[in-house]
PDB file of all heavy atoms in Angstrom:
ATOM      1  N   PHE A   1     -41.803  -0.103 -60.131  1.00 96.00           N
ATOM      2  CA  PHE A   1     -42.655  -1.267 -59.725  1.00 96.00           C
ATOM      3  C   PHE A   1     -42.173  -2.515 -60.359  1.00 96.00           C
ATOM      4  O   PHE A   1     -41.992  -2.731 -61.598  1.00 96.00           O
ATOM      5  CB  PHE A   1     -44.194  -0.943 -60.217  1.00 96.00           C
ATOM      6  CG  PHE A   1     -45.079  -2.039 -59.787  1.00 96.00           C
ATOM      7  CD1 PHE A   1     -45.695  -1.892 -58.592  1.00 96.00           C
ATOM      8  CD2 PHE A   1     -45.631  -2.860 -60.739  1.00 96.00           C
ATOM      9  CE1 PHE A   1     -46.683  -2.819 -58.211  1.00 96.00           C
ATOM     10  CE2 PHE A   1     -46.468  -3.819 -60.319  1.00 96.00           C
ATOM     11  CZ  PHE A   1     -47.138  -3.902 -59.112  1.00 96.00           C
ATOM     12  N   TYR A   2     -42.024  -3.577 -59.602  1.00 96.00           N
ATOM     13  CA  TYR A   2     -41.655  -4.837 -59.992  1.00 96.00           C
ATOM     14  C   TYR A   2     -42.730  -5.850 -59.442  1.00 96.00           C
ATOM     15  O   TYR A   2     -43.039  -5.852 -58.254  1.00 96.00           O
ATOM     16  CB  TYR A   2     -40.368  -5.338 -59.431  1.00 96.00           C
ATOM     17  CG  TYR A   2     -39.099  -4.482 -59.973  1.00 96.00           C
ATOM     18  CD1 TYR A   2     -38.758  -3.308 -59.360  1.00 96.00           C
ATOM     19  CD2 TYR A   2     -38.448  -4.994 -61.050  1.00 96.00           C
ATOM     20  CE1 TYR A   2     -37.728  -2.543 -59.971  1.00 96.00           C
ATOM     21  CE2 TYR A   2     -37.324  -4.283 -61.640  1.00 96.00           C
ATOM     22  CZ  TYR A   2     -36.974  -2.967 -61.073  1.00 96.00           C
ATOM     23  OH  TYR A   2     -35.871  -2.330 -61.591  1.00 96.00           O
ATOM     24  N   GLU A   3     -43.306  -6.626 -60.434  1.00 96.00           N
ATOM     25  CA  GLU A   3     -44.200  -7.534 -60.084  1.00 96.00           C
ATOM     26  C   GLU A   3     -43.820  -8.982 -60.152  1.00 96.00           C
ATOM     27  O   GLU A   3     -43.191  -9.384 -61.229  1.00 96.00           O
ATOM     28  CB  GLU A   3     -45.542  -7.402 -60.962  1.00 96.00           C
ATOM     29  CG  GLU A   3     -46.617  -8.250 -60.711  1.00 96.00           C
ATOM     30  CD  GLU A   3     -47.951  -8.049 -61.480  1.00 96.00           C
ATOM     31  OE1 GLU A   3     -47.983  -6.968 -62.175  1.00 96.00           O
ATOM     32  OE2 GLU A   3     -48.808  -8.758 -61.320  1.00 96.00           O
ATOM     33  N   MET A   4     -43.914  -9.776 -59.105  1.00 95.00           N
ATOM     34  CA  MET A   4     -43.568 -11.167 -59.119  1.00 95.00           C
ATOM     35  C   MET A   4     -44.629 -12.062 -58.533  1.00 95.00           C
ATOM     36  O   MET A   4     -45.495 -11.605 -57.866  1.00 95.00           O
ATOM     37  CB  MET A   4     -42.239 -11.268 -58.268  1.00 95.00           C
ATOM     38  CG  MET A   4     -41.025 -10.453 -58.887  1.00 95.00           C
ATOM     39  SD  MET A   4     -39.602 -10.619 -57.725  1.00 95.00           S
ATOM     40  CE  MET A   4     -38.325  -9.859 -58.743  1.00 95.00           C
ATOM     41  N   ASN A   5     -44.353 -13.400 -58.743  1.00 94.00           N
ATOM     42  CA  ASN A   5     -45.197 -14.444 -58.190  1.00 94.00           C
ATOM     43  C   ASN A   5     -44.447 -15.272 -57.300  1.00 94.00           C
ATOM     44  O   ASN A   5     -43.378 -15.720 -57.795  1.00 94.00           O
ATOM     45  CB  ASN A   5     -46.044 -15.100 -59.316  1.00 94.00           C
ATOM     46  CG  ASN A   5     -47.097 -16.090 -58.754  1.00 94.00           C
ATOM     47  OD1 ASN A   5     -46.911 -16.878 -58.040  1.00 94.00           O
ATOM     48  ND2 ASN A   5     -48.266 -15.704 -59.056  1.00 94.00           N
ATOM     49  N   ALA A   6     -44.868 -15.563 -56.100  1.00 92.00           N
ATOM     50  CA  ALA A   6     -44.189 -16.415 -55.177  1.00 92.00           C
ATOM     51  C   ALA A   6     -43.944 -17.808 -55.625  1.00 92.00           C
ATOM     52  O   ALA A   6     -42.786 -18.457 -55.394  1.00 92.00           O
ATOM     53  CB  ALA A   6     -45.015 -16.548 -53.871  1.00 92.00           C
ATOM     54  N   THR A   7     -44.747 -18.287 -56.533  1.00 90.00           N
ATOM     55  CA  THR A   7     -44.560 -19.703 -57.024  1.00 90.00           C
ATOM     56  C   THR A   7     -43.391 -19.756 -58.002  1.00 90.00           C
ATOM     57  O   THR A   7     -42.825 -20.674 -58.178  1.00 90.00           O
ATOM     58  CB  THR A   7     -45.780 -20.107 -57.798  1.00 90.00           C
ATOM     59  OG1 THR A   7     -46.191 -19.273 -58.745  1.00 90.00           O
ATOM     60  CG2 THR A   7     -46.952 -20.236 -56.785  1.00 90.00           C
ATOM     61  N   THR A   8     -43.017 -18.599 -58.808  1.00 92.00           N
ATOM     62  CA  THR A   8     -41.950 -18.644 -59.657  1.00 92.00           C
ATOM     63  C   THR A   8     -40.756 -17.612 -59.327  1.00 92.00           C
ATOM     64  O   THR A   8     -39.845 -17.570 -60.061  1.00 92.00           O
ATOM     65  CB  THR A   8     -42.433 -18.220 -61.071  1.00 92.00           C
ATOM     66  OG1 THR A   8     -43.135 -16.920 -60.992  1.00 92.00           O
ATOM     67  CG2 THR A   8     -43.467 -19.071 -61.554  1.00 92.00           C
ATOM     68  N   LEU A   9     -40.872 -17.062 -58.165  1.00 90.00           N
ATOM     69  CA  LEU A   9     -39.847 -16.161 -57.765  1.00 90.00           C
ATOM     70  C   LEU A   9     -38.635 -16.810 -57.470  1.00 90.00           C
ATOM     71  O   LEU A   9     -38.470 -17.847 -56.834  1.00 90.00           O
ATOM     72  CB  LEU A   9     -40.346 -15.402 -56.446  1.00 90.00           C
ATOM     73  CG  LEU A   9     -39.515 -14.253 -55.862  1.00 90.00           C
ATOM     74  CD1 LEU A   9     -40.410 -13.302 -55.150  1.00 90.00           C
ATOM     75  CD2 LEU A   9     -38.481 -14.816 -54.904  1.00 90.00           C
ATOM     76  N   LYS A  10     -37.554 -16.242 -58.144  1.00 89.00           N
ATOM     77  CA  LYS A  10     -36.171 -16.795 -57.929  1.00 89.00           C
ATOM     78  C   LYS A  10     -35.327 -15.677 -56.948  1.00 89.00           C
ATOM     79  O   LYS A  10     -35.384 -14.515 -57.327  1.00 89.00           O
ATOM     80  CB  LYS A  10     -35.510 -16.923 -59.271  1.00 89.00           C
ATOM     81  CG  LYS A  10     -36.061 -17.906 -60.149  1.00 89.00           C
ATOM     82  CD  LYS A  10     -35.352 -17.949 -61.626  1.00 89.00           C
ATOM     83  CE  LYS A  10     -35.995 -18.976 -62.393  1.00 89.00           C
ATOM     84  NZ  LYS A  10     -35.316 -19.122 -63.803  1.00 89.00           N
ATOM     85  N   ILE A  11     -34.655 -16.296 -56.089  1.00 88.00           N
ATOM     86  CA  ILE A  11     -33.889 -15.562 -55.100  1.00 88.00           C
ATOM     87  C   ILE A  11     -32.940 -14.547 -55.735  1.00 88.00           C
ATOM     88  O   ILE A  11     -32.776 -13.386 -55.457  1.00 88.00           O
ATOM     89  CB  ILE A  11     -33.264 -16.428 -54.106  1.00 88.00           C
ATOM     90  CG1 ILE A  11     -34.428 -17.057 -53.194  1.00 88.00           C
ATOM     91  CG2 ILE A  11     -32.269 -15.624 -53.180  1.00 88.00           C
ATOM     92  CD1 ILE A  11     -33.812 -17.989 -52.186  1.00 88.00           C
ATOM     93  N   GLU A  12     -32.384 -15.219 -56.865  1.00 90.00           N
ATOM     94  CA  GLU A  12     -31.303 -14.474 -57.579  1.00 90.00           C
ATOM     95  C   GLU A  12     -31.843 -13.204 -58.058  1.00 90.00           C
ATOM     96  O   GLU A  12     -31.236 -12.102 -58.297  1.00 90.00           O
ATOM     97  CB  GLU A  12     -30.648 -15.363 -58.706  1.00 90.00           C
ATOM     98  CG  GLU A  12     -29.319 -14.710 -59.173  1.00 90.00           C
ATOM     99  CD  GLU A  12     -28.359 -14.448 -58.256  1.00 90.00           C
ATOM    100  OE1 GLU A  12     -28.139 -15.180 -57.231  1.00 90.00           O
ATOM    101  OE2 GLU A  12     -27.635 -13.235 -58.271  1.00 90.00           O
ATOM    102  N   ASP A  13     -33.075 -13.265 -58.720  1.00 91.00           N
ATOM    103  CA  ASP A  13     -33.780 -12.153 -59.301  1.00 91.00           C
ATOM    104  C   ASP A  13     -33.977 -10.870 -58.247  1.00 91.00           C
ATOM    105  O   ASP A  13     -33.869  -9.784 -58.553  1.00 91.00           O
ATOM    106  CB  ASP A  13     -35.136 -12.589 -59.877  1.00 91.00           C
ATOM    107  CG  ASP A  13     -34.986 -13.466 -61.193  1.00 91.00           C
ATOM    108  OD1 ASP A  13     -33.949 -13.398 -61.839  1.00 91.00           O
ATOM    109  OD2 ASP A  13     -35.922 -14.118 -61.460  1.00 91.00           O
ATOM    110  N   LEU A  14     -34.363 -11.427 -57.085  1.00 89.00           N
ATOM    111  CA  LEU A  14     -34.538 -10.427 -55.961  1.00 89.00           C
ATOM    112  C   LEU A  14     -33.323  -9.778 -55.665  1.00 89.00           C
ATOM    113  O   LEU A  14     -33.247  -8.504 -55.606  1.00 89.00           O
ATOM    114  CB  LEU A  14     -35.037 -11.141 -54.741  1.00 89.00           C
ATOM    115  CG  LEU A  14     -36.439 -11.441 -54.629  1.00 89.00           C
ATOM    116  CD1 LEU A  14     -36.811 -12.292 -53.449  1.00 89.00           C
ATOM    117  CD2 LEU A  14     -37.390 -10.072 -54.573  1.00 89.00           C
ATOM    118  N   ARG A  15     -32.223 -10.479 -55.610  1.00 90.00           N
ATOM    119  CA  ARG A  15     -30.956  -9.893 -55.185  1.00 90.00           C
ATOM    120  C   ARG A  15     -30.348  -8.953 -56.255  1.00 90.00           C
ATOM    121  O   ARG A  15     -29.839  -7.902 -56.041  1.00 90.00           O
ATOM    122  CB  ARG A  15     -29.864 -11.026 -55.144  1.00 90.00           C
ATOM    123  CG  ARG A  15     -29.998 -11.881 -53.910  1.00 90.00           C
ATOM    124  CD  ARG A  15     -28.792 -12.701 -53.474  1.00 90.00           C
ATOM    125  NE  ARG A  15     -28.924 -13.290 -52.100  1.00 90.00           N
ATOM    126  CZ  ARG A  15     -29.098 -14.628 -51.950  1.00 90.00           C
ATOM    127  NH1 ARG A  15     -29.153 -15.408 -52.921  1.00 90.00           N
ATOM    128  NH2 ARG A  15     -29.105 -15.197 -50.704  1.00 90.00           N
ATOM    129  N   LYS A  16     -30.672  -9.159 -57.566  1.00 92.00           N
ATOM    130  CA  LYS A  16     -30.396  -8.341 -58.690  1.00 92.00           C
ATOM    131  C   LYS A  16     -31.094  -7.010 -58.605  1.00 92.00           C
ATOM    132  O   LYS A  16     -30.488  -5.885 -58.835  1.00 92.00           O
ATOM    133  CB  LYS A  16     -30.585  -8.972 -60.026  1.00 92.00           C
ATOM    134  CG  LYS A  16     -29.663 -10.024 -60.477  1.00 92.00           C
ATOM    135  CD  LYS A  16     -30.017 -10.711 -61.802  1.00 92.00           C
ATOM    136  CE  LYS A  16     -29.132 -11.779 -62.190  1.00 92.00           C
ATOM    137  NZ  LYS A  16     -29.532 -12.460 -63.494  1.00 92.00           N
ATOM    138  N   ILE A  17     -32.403  -7.065 -58.251  1.00 93.00           N
ATOM    139  CA  ILE A  17     -33.170  -5.771 -58.057  1.00 93.00           C
ATOM    140  C   ILE A  17     -32.538  -4.975 -56.783  1.00 93.00           C
ATOM    141  O   ILE A  17     -32.361  -3.711 -56.945  1.00 93.00           O
ATOM    142  CB  ILE A  17     -34.695  -6.125 -57.833  1.00 93.00           C
ATOM    143  CG1 ILE A  17     -35.186  -6.899 -59.063  1.00 93.00           C
ATOM    144  CG2 ILE A  17     -35.375  -4.836 -57.511  1.00 93.00           C
ATOM    145  CD1 ILE A  17     -36.609  -7.420 -58.837  1.00 93.00           C
ATOM    146  N   PHE A  18     -32.258  -5.737 -55.772  1.00 91.00           N
ATOM    147  CA  PHE A  18     -31.755  -4.943 -54.621  1.00 91.00           C
ATOM    148  C   PHE A  18     -30.443  -4.227 -54.936  1.00 91.00           C
ATOM    149  O   PHE A  18     -30.170  -3.104 -54.536  1.00 91.00           O
ATOM    150  CB  PHE A  18     -31.670  -5.959 -53.418  1.00 91.00           C
ATOM    151  CG  PHE A  18     -33.090  -6.360 -52.916  1.00 91.00           C
ATOM    152  CD1 PHE A  18     -33.329  -7.613 -52.627  1.00 91.00           C
ATOM    153  CD2 PHE A  18     -34.008  -5.303 -52.655  1.00 91.00           C
ATOM    154  CE1 PHE A  18     -34.555  -8.106 -52.140  1.00 91.00           C
ATOM    155  CE2 PHE A  18     -35.369  -5.849 -52.052  1.00 91.00           C
ATOM    156  CZ  PHE A  18     -35.543  -7.156 -51.786  1.00 91.00           C
ATOM    157  N   LYS A  19     -29.658  -5.015 -55.594  1.00 91.00           N
ATOM    158  CA  LYS A  19     -28.320  -4.591 -55.930  1.00 91.00           C
ATOM    159  C   LYS A  19     -28.356  -3.273 -56.840  1.00 91.00           C
ATOM    160  O   LYS A  19     -27.649  -2.373 -56.736  1.00 91.00           O
ATOM    161  CB  LYS A  19     -27.479  -5.604 -56.617  1.00 91.00           C
ATOM    162  CG  LYS A  19     -25.996  -5.282 -56.923  1.00 91.00           C
ATOM    163  CD  LYS A  19     -25.287  -6.456 -57.491  1.00 91.00           C
ATOM    164  CE  LYS A  19     -23.821  -6.110 -57.801  1.00 91.00           C
ATOM    165  NZ  LYS A  19     -23.006  -7.178 -58.400  1.00 91.00           N
ATOM    166  N   ALA A  20     -29.285  -3.342 -57.916  1.00 93.00           N
ATOM    167  CA  ALA A  20     -29.451  -2.229 -58.751  1.00 93.00           C
ATOM    168  C   ALA A  20     -29.827  -0.969 -57.999  1.00 93.00           C
ATOM    169  O   ALA A  20     -29.629   0.135 -58.613  1.00 93.00           O
ATOM    170  CB  ALA A  20     -30.500  -2.658 -59.835  1.00 93.00           C
ATOM    171  N   TYR A  21     -30.431  -1.047 -56.904  1.00 93.00           N
ATOM    172  CA  TYR A  21     -30.923   0.203 -56.360  1.00 93.00           C
ATOM    173  C   TYR A  21     -30.115   0.513 -54.971  1.00 93.00           C
ATOM    174  O   TYR A  21     -30.709   1.235 -54.006  1.00 93.00           O
ATOM    175  CB  TYR A  21     -32.461   0.074 -55.975  1.00 93.00           C
ATOM    176  CG  TYR A  21     -33.317   0.185 -57.163  1.00 93.00           C
ATOM    177  CD1 TYR A  21     -33.678  -0.931 -57.776  1.00 93.00           C
ATOM    178  CD2 TYR A  21     -33.774   1.368 -57.692  1.00 93.00           C
ATOM    179  CE1 TYR A  21     -34.444  -0.955 -58.986  1.00 93.00           C
ATOM    180  CE2 TYR A  21     -34.587   1.396 -58.761  1.00 93.00           C
ATOM    181  CZ  TYR A  21     -34.925   0.268 -59.535  1.00 93.00           C
ATOM    182  OH  TYR A  21     -35.669   0.288 -60.669  1.00 93.00           O
ATOM    183  N   THR A  22     -29.117  -0.065 -54.799  1.00 89.00           N
ATOM    184  CA  THR A  22     -28.284   0.085 -53.599  1.00 89.00           C
ATOM    185  C   THR A  22     -27.971   1.388 -53.195  1.00 89.00           C
ATOM    186  O   THR A  22     -28.112   1.824 -52.096  1.00 89.00           O
ATOM    187  CB  THR A  22     -26.897  -0.639 -53.793  1.00 89.00           C
ATOM    188  OG1 THR A  22     -27.115  -2.138 -53.899  1.00 89.00           O
ATOM    189  CG2 THR A  22     -26.128  -0.510 -52.386  1.00 89.00           C
ATOM    190  N   ASN A  23     -27.577   2.276 -54.172  1.00 87.00           N
ATOM    191  CA  ASN A  23     -27.274   3.633 -53.920  1.00 87.00           C
ATOM    192  C   ASN A  23     -28.344   4.648 -54.482  1.00 87.00           C
ATOM    193  O   ASN A  23     -28.042   5.823 -54.402  1.00 87.00           O
ATOM    194  CB  ASN A  23     -25.837   3.972 -54.575  1.00 87.00           C
ATOM    195  CG  ASN A  23     -24.833   3.186 -54.016  1.00 87.00           C
ATOM    196  OD1 ASN A  23     -24.735   3.039 -52.739  1.00 87.00           O
ATOM    197  ND2 ASN A  23     -23.906   2.570 -54.794  1.00 87.00           N
ATOM    198  N   ALA A  24     -29.355   4.155 -54.801  1.00 89.00           N
ATOM    199  CA  ALA A  24     -30.565   4.933 -55.422  1.00 89.00           C
ATOM    200  C   ALA A  24     -31.297   5.658 -54.124  1.00 89.00           C
ATOM    201  O   ALA A  24     -31.371   5.146 -53.239  1.00 89.00           O
ATOM    202  CB  ALA A  24     -31.495   4.196 -56.327  1.00 89.00           C
ATOM    203  N   LEU A  25     -31.630   6.910 -54.530  1.00 87.00           N
ATOM    204  CA  LEU A  25     -32.377   7.683 -53.523  1.00 87.00           C
ATOM    205  C   LEU A  25     -33.899   7.115 -53.482  1.00 87.00           C
ATOM    206  O   LEU A  25     -34.457   7.040 -52.428  1.00 87.00           O
ATOM    207  CB  LEU A  25     -32.456   9.239 -54.036  1.00 87.00           C
ATOM    208  CG  LEU A  25     -31.211   9.904 -53.823  1.00 87.00           C
ATOM    209  CD1 LEU A  25     -31.301  11.372 -54.399  1.00 87.00           C
ATOM    210  CD2 LEU A  25     -30.613   9.916 -52.486  1.00 87.00           C
ATOM    211  N   GLN A  26     -34.332   6.681 -54.642  1.00 90.00           N
ATOM    212  CA  GLN A  26     -35.780   6.180 -54.603  1.00 90.00           C
ATOM    213  C   GLN A  26     -35.828   4.637 -54.698  1.00 90.00           C
ATOM    214  O   GLN A  26     -35.232   4.094 -55.718  1.00 90.00           O
ATOM    215  CB  GLN A  26     -36.570   6.793 -55.798  1.00 90.00           C
ATOM    216  CG  GLN A  26     -38.062   6.374 -55.779  1.00 90.00           C
ATOM    217  CD  GLN A  26     -38.894   6.992 -54.521  1.00 90.00           C
ATOM    218  OE1 GLN A  26     -38.480   6.601 -53.446  1.00 90.00           O
ATOM    219  NE2 GLN A  26     -39.668   8.033 -54.773  1.00 90.00           N
ATOM    220  N   LYS A  27     -36.209   4.052 -53.737  1.00 92.00           N
ATOM    221  CA  LYS A  27     -36.239   2.552 -53.648  1.00 92.00           C
ATOM    222  C   LYS A  27     -37.472   1.964 -54.381  1.00 92.00           C
ATOM    223  O   LYS A  27     -38.437   2.616 -54.442  1.00 92.00           O
ATOM    224  CB  LYS A  27     -36.239   2.085 -52.254  1.00 92.00           C
ATOM    225  CG  LYS A  27     -35.031   2.562 -51.327  1.00 92.00           C
ATOM    226  CD  LYS A  27     -33.629   2.159 -52.008  1.00 92.00           C
ATOM    227  CE  LYS A  27     -32.501   2.589 -51.043  1.00 92.00           C
ATOM    228  NZ  LYS A  27     -31.192   2.363 -51.682  1.00 92.00           N
ATOM    229  N   PRO A  28     -37.294   0.770 -54.965  1.00 95.00           N
ATOM    230  CA  PRO A  28     -38.394   0.232 -55.691  1.00 95.00           C
ATOM    231  C   PRO A  28     -39.506  -0.392 -54.848  1.00 95.00           C
ATOM    232  O   PRO A  28     -39.270  -0.655 -53.545  1.00 95.00           O
ATOM    233  CB  PRO A  28     -37.737  -0.964 -56.487  1.00 95.00           C
ATOM    234  CG  PRO A  28     -36.695  -1.421 -55.532  1.00 95.00           C
ATOM    235  CD  PRO A  28     -36.190  -0.166 -54.934  1.00 95.00           C
ATOM    236  N   LEU A  29     -40.699  -0.584 -55.441  1.00 96.00           N
ATOM    237  CA  LEU A  29     -41.796  -1.296 -54.808  1.00 96.00           C
ATOM    238  C   LEU A  29     -41.727  -2.684 -55.518  1.00 96.00           C
ATOM    239  O   LEU A  29     -42.018  -2.735 -56.641  1.00 96.00           O
ATOM    240  CB  LEU A  29     -43.175  -0.591 -54.956  1.00 96.00           C
ATOM    241  CG  LEU A  29     -44.341  -1.263 -54.142  1.00 96.00           C
ATOM    242  CD1 LEU A  29     -45.341   0.020 -54.022  1.00 96.00           C
ATOM    243  CD2 LEU A  29     -44.900  -2.364 -54.857  1.00 96.00           C
ATOM    244  N   ILE A  30     -41.596  -3.675 -54.629  1.00 96.00           N
ATOM    245  CA  ILE A  30     -41.679  -5.056 -55.230  1.00 96.00           C
ATOM    246  C   ILE A  30     -42.937  -5.725 -54.693  1.00 96.00           C
ATOM    247  O   ILE A  30     -43.187  -5.908 -53.471  1.00 96.00           O
ATOM    248  CB  ILE A  30     -40.456  -5.948 -54.790  1.00 96.00           C
ATOM    249  CG1 ILE A  30     -39.173  -5.352 -55.099  1.00 96.00           C
ATOM    250  CG2 ILE A  30     -40.570  -7.361 -55.063  1.00 96.00           C
ATOM    251  CD1 ILE A  30     -37.918  -5.943 -54.549  1.00 96.00           C
ATOM    252  N   PHE A  31     -43.824  -6.066 -55.749  1.00 97.00           N
ATOM    253  CA  PHE A  31     -45.066  -6.697 -55.458  1.00 97.00           C
ATOM    254  C   PHE A  31     -45.097  -8.120 -55.782  1.00 97.00           C
ATOM    255  O   PHE A  31     -44.561  -8.739 -56.827  1.00 97.00           O
ATOM    256  CB  PHE A  31     -46.116  -6.046 -56.426  1.00 97.00           C
ATOM    257  CG  PHE A  31     -47.459  -6.869 -56.259  1.00 97.00           C
ATOM    258  CD1 PHE A  31     -48.309  -6.507 -55.173  1.00 97.00           C
ATOM    259  CD2 PHE A  31     -47.898  -7.617 -57.316  1.00 97.00           C
ATOM    260  CE1 PHE A  31     -49.555  -7.064 -55.007  1.00 97.00           C
ATOM    261  CE2 PHE A  31     -49.215  -8.126 -57.167  1.00 97.00           C
ATOM    262  CZ  PHE A  31     -49.930  -7.914 -56.002  1.00 97.00           C
TER     263      PHE A  31
END
């Protein structure tokens, strides 16, 4: 579970999360 706020959300942070789970069987939930 990753919790973010649209007002402070950084695109680079999103990309890092997606990259970390590229080959993972269980994908994250981004709130």
Side-chain angles (χ1 to χ4, degrees):
F1 184 81
Y2 291 87
E3 184 173 351
M4 299 181 170
N5 190 294
T7 59
T8 57
L9 185 149
K10 295 180 180 178
I11 291 174
E12 193 55 40
D13 292 338
L14 279 175
R15 289 198 172 109
K16 286 180 180 177
I17 295 173
F18 292 132
K19 185 177 180 180
Y21 290 89
T22 300
N23 299 314
L25 293 176
Q26 188 63 291
K27 303 301 183 182
L29 187 156
I30 298 177
F31 175 74

